[in-house]
Amino acid sequence: MKRTKIVDIFGPEAPVGSEVSVKGWVRTRRGNKHVQFVALNDGSTIKNLQIVFDMAQFDDEQLKPVTTGSAIHVTGVLVESMGKGQSVEVQATTLEIYGTADPETYPLQKKGHTLEFLREKAHLRPRTNTFGAVLRVRSALAFAIHKFFQERGFFYLHTPLITASDCEGAGAMFQVTTLPLNDLPKTENGEIDYSADFFGKQAALTVSGQLEGELGATALGAIYTFGPTFRAENSNTPRHLAEFWMIEPEVAFNDITDNMQLAEDFIKYCVKYALDNCRDDIEFLASMYDKDLVERLESVLKDEFVRLAYTEGIEILEKSGKKFEFPVYWGADLSSEHERYLVEEHFKRPVILTDYPKEIKAFYMKQNEDGKTVRAMDVLFPQIGEIIGGSEREESYEKLLARIEELEIPMKDMWWYLDTRRFGTVPHSGFGLGFERLVLFVTGMTNIRDVIPFPRTPGNAEF
Ligand code: 4AD
Ligand code: MG
């Protein structure tokens, strides 16, 4: 008999009275000598399927290996459930054991483990309700992202993971090398001789696909990237990962106003997609961790995002009378406490902050006429702070070159990027969305380590 996924058991395709074959992992078993109840989960839905074993038809020995964590196959008849909490259940006729899970050693034996404990068990935590829900939402959001861009005629561009240029200029890159680390070849003046390295030059894992994305946008018109990104910044915070996924649309002929609208439409589309398609998981997470979750997601859809210049944002923060951990002044890089004050307390909705001082933003951003600020835009979100960072790009060859020289960015690494401004340059804009920050927002989780299956953070690459 063909296996039915549990998600479909609760759907219209599996009518009461039909015979079904189900497979999954045992969450719990309870009961007495007459009847035993197993809660079965196969990962297809947050819902467990109740299996009822009439102990007149099974013997105790048969059910002994059916413990929490074991994998089983049951056939039986789908019947309406008398018990509370589920609409249907399976009256078992056959039982097959695939794999046992020794109660003495299975780490997820009990319910209610803390998220910290589960981080230590990252190899098994997908089997919990919480991580099942988070991972299903994550998958749905990834699909929504492709859907959003594909429906709007954007092309998916694969930018390289190994690169020789530092897009954000932060210098927090993981080096990629095949040189023997205990016996490095040296040049005459004692420096490492990268000409002997695999790529013939120093290479690293990318911090952003943007620069290559701009090459795509100035050819295909509108592209997006969606891939892993690596940053070796030593920030051990609930919002930073060393390996995270980023979505970077880049659009020729878009100015910063278009860019802001695209960002707002994009996030709203993703949040709505999750609300429409992951309702059970989101409601489960809300009940467990964050009772305001659904309301917060819906409120983001309702309101238009505030558009505010950095200079005005600083004024609001200065006048707030709040004691912040980090000082606020014109020129300061905002930290998440400042961002969250603007969003959660002052405006009570998402804010797009624009026109930041050029000193705190990357070299490629379009310079404003005031000579002090650039056409940057950060989208700030409740609970999260910065969820998107982007800008209109400097399309003038001369101005871009001057900025590169001013910041002493090694020119020889940048020649190909500058060619976009030498040949058929156009106004263009783009942004980067941190995928895990979006998943954090949608799931209501509070630590970024809990929304990626295998988090990479300083000192942590075990699983
Ligand atoms: O603001 P960032 O550094 O912008 C860029 O990389 C640009 N090249 C994007 C572009 O214009 N195409 O990063 C973009 C977003 C941030 O807003 C944040 O959501 C996320 O990426 N992000 C991180 N997420 C998790 N862990 C980290 N260490 C992150 N660093 C940035
Ligand atoms: Mg940023």
Side-chain angles (χ1 to χ4, degrees):
M1 199 191 319
K2 199 167 158 279
R3 170 203 170 205
T4 308
K5 283 189 184 177
I6 291 176
V7 68
D8 297 327
I9 292 279
F10 291 110
E13 296 97 87
V16 166
S18 61
E19 243 206 285
V20 293
S21 158
V22 291
K23 304 177 177 189
W25 293 269
V26 173
R27 284 293 165 80
T28 55
R29 176 162 67 88
R30 61 187 176 81
N32 53 44
K33 62 181 189 308
H34 306 295
V35 60
Q36 290 278 314
F37 300 98
V38 165
L40 193 70
N41 190 286
D42 68 358
S44 63
T45 164
I46 187 80
K47 290 183 189 147
N48 294 333
L49 178 62
Q50 176 154 285
I51 315 283
V52 184
F53 291 90
D54 177 354
M55 294 311 284
Q57 290 170 40
F58 292 88
D59 60 61
D60 293 351
E61 280 307 302
Q62 243 181 312
L63 260 78
K64 225 173 174 180
V66 181
T67 58
T68 298
S70 63
I72 62 172
H73 171 202
V74 172
T75 62
V77 182
L78 195 64
V79 296
E80 246 166 77
S81 178
M82 298 297 172
K84 279 225 303 247
Q86 68 272 323
S87 50
V88 289
E89 61 193 23
V90 170
Q91 197 74 50
T93 46
T94 70
L95 166 67
E96 179 186 358
I97 313 279
Y98 283 130
T100 57
D102 183 355
E104 295 296 315
T105 51
Y106 182 57
L108 304 181
Q109 191 57 40
K110 287 193 214 63
K111 276 189 168 181
H113 288 300
T114 65
L115 294 170
E116 288 79 6
F117 172 86
L118 292 173
R119 263 173 238 148
E120 306 286 314
K121 305 277 178 271
H123 60 310
L124 292 173
R125 69 179 183 170
R127 293 195 192 179
T128 62
N129 285 333
T130 294
F131 286 91
V134 167
L135 294 177
R136 281 186 297 270
V137 172
R138 186 180 163 106
S139 168
L141 283 170
F143 181 69
I145 285 162
H146 284 293
K147 199 160 141 48
F148 175 86
F149 287 117
Q150 297 284 337
E151 283 171 356
R152 281 159 189 75
F154 285 61
F155 299 101
Y156 182 25
L157 184 74
H158 296 100
T159 51
L161 300 191
I162 300 177
T163 171
S165 53
D166 179 0
C167 172
E168 292 305 298
M173 300 182 90
F174 288 100
Q175 209 175 315
V176 174
T177 181
T178 53
L179 291 178
L181 293 180
N182 47 8
D183 184 21
L184 290 169
K186 297 280 169 67
T187 60
E188 275 164 21
N189 45 23
E191 287 169 354
I192 297 169
D193 181 8
Y194 284 105
S195 69
D197 204 348
F198 189 89
F199 298 105
K201 53 162 48 175
Q202 195 172 359
L205 296 178
T206 187
V207 297
S208 160
Q210 180 195 325
L211 302 186
E212 296 89 351
E214 288 184 51
L215 302 178
T218 52
L220 300 168
I223 62 91
Y224 68 105
T225 72
F226 187 175
T229 312
F230 308 88
R231 296 197 183 174
E233 54 201 346
N234 201 357
S235 30
N236 233 325
T237 80
R239 277 172 254 293
H240 287 87
L241 290 164
E243 179 180 296
F244 64 99
W245 287 64
M246 185 152 54
I247 298 94
E248 296 185 277
E250 191 72 34
V251 189
F253 315 112
N254 264 11
D255 64 13
I256 188 157
T257 311
D258 306 320
N259 206 33
M260 287 192 278
Q261 195 58 49
L262 180 66
E264 178 166 350
D265 293 347
F266 172 47
I267 297 204
K268 284 182 169 171
Y269 182 96
C270 294
V271 171
K272 182 163 190 314
Y273 186 89
L275 277 170
D276 291 347
N277 292 278
C278 310
R279 200 69 193 201
D280 290 349
D281 288 321
I282 289 174
E283 278 171 6
F284 169 79
L285 292 166
S287 75
M288 290 295 289
Y289 301 102
D290 182 354
K291 62 177 176 17
D292 303 326
L293 179 61
V294 174
E295 199 188 325
R296 191 160 58 246
L297 298 182
E298 282 168 351
S299 90
V300 158
L301 297 184
K302 204 166 69 241
D303 298 328
E304 199 183 323
F305 297 1
V306 175
R307 281 135 170 88
L308 183 78
Y310 168 91
T311 302
E312 293 167 56
I314 293 290
E315 274 168 26
I316 293 170
L317 290 167
E318 280 173 341
K319 285 195 199 131
S320 70
K322 275 271 279 212
K323 276 257 170 300
F324 293 111
E325 192 187 337
F326 296 98
V328 178
Y329 55 91
W330 199 95
D333 208 352
L334 298 186
S335 44
S336 82
E337 53 170 347
H338 307 132
E339 297 169 338
R340 291 182 59 178
Y341 174 81
L342 290 174
V343 172
E344 289 165 30
E345 295 185 48
H346 190 82
F347 290 106
K348 299 192 166 49
R349 54 193 165 124
V351 173
I352 311 184
L353 205 60
T354 60
D355 303 289
Y356 284 73
K358 65 176 179 192
E359 284 75 21
I360 57 173
K361 289 293 179 188
F363 73 95
Y364 50 72
M365 295 190 182
K366 186 176 173 68
Q367 297 163 42
N368 279 322
E369 290 70 29
D370 64 11
K372 293 192 298 197
T373 59
V374 287
R375 251 166 254 184
M377 50 163 254
D378 278 9
V379 180
L380 313 179
F381 248 52
Q383 308 288 312
I384 306 294
E386 179 190 337
I387 195 164
I388 279 182
S391 71
E392 187 169 338
R393 319 305 189 189
E394 181 57 72
E395 84 263 24
S396 150
Y397 178 79
E398 286 74 28
K399 285 190 191 157
L400 184 61
L401 187 63
R403 191 71 184 134
I404 286 176
E405 283 169 352
E406 210 176 348
L407 292 170
E408 296 178 10
I409 297 170
M411 269 306 299
K412 65 171 173 26
D413 300 340
M414 283 289 150
W415 66 269
W416 54 270
Y417 181 67
L418 283 167
D419 268 6
T420 55
R421 275 61 166 179
R422 286 178 63 208
F423 307 120
T425 188
V426 289
H428 62 288
S429 303
F431 60 80
L433 168 78
F435 185 49
E436 284 73 21
R437 294 197 186 173
L438 176 67
V439 183
L440 265 181
F441 179 72
V442 172
T443 58
M445 302 301 281
T446 51
N447 194 313
I448 202 163
R449 293 166 178 78
D450 298 332
V451 296
I452 186 165
F454 305 103
R456 297 288 174 263
T457 52
N460 180 19
E462 174 78 10
F463 304 99

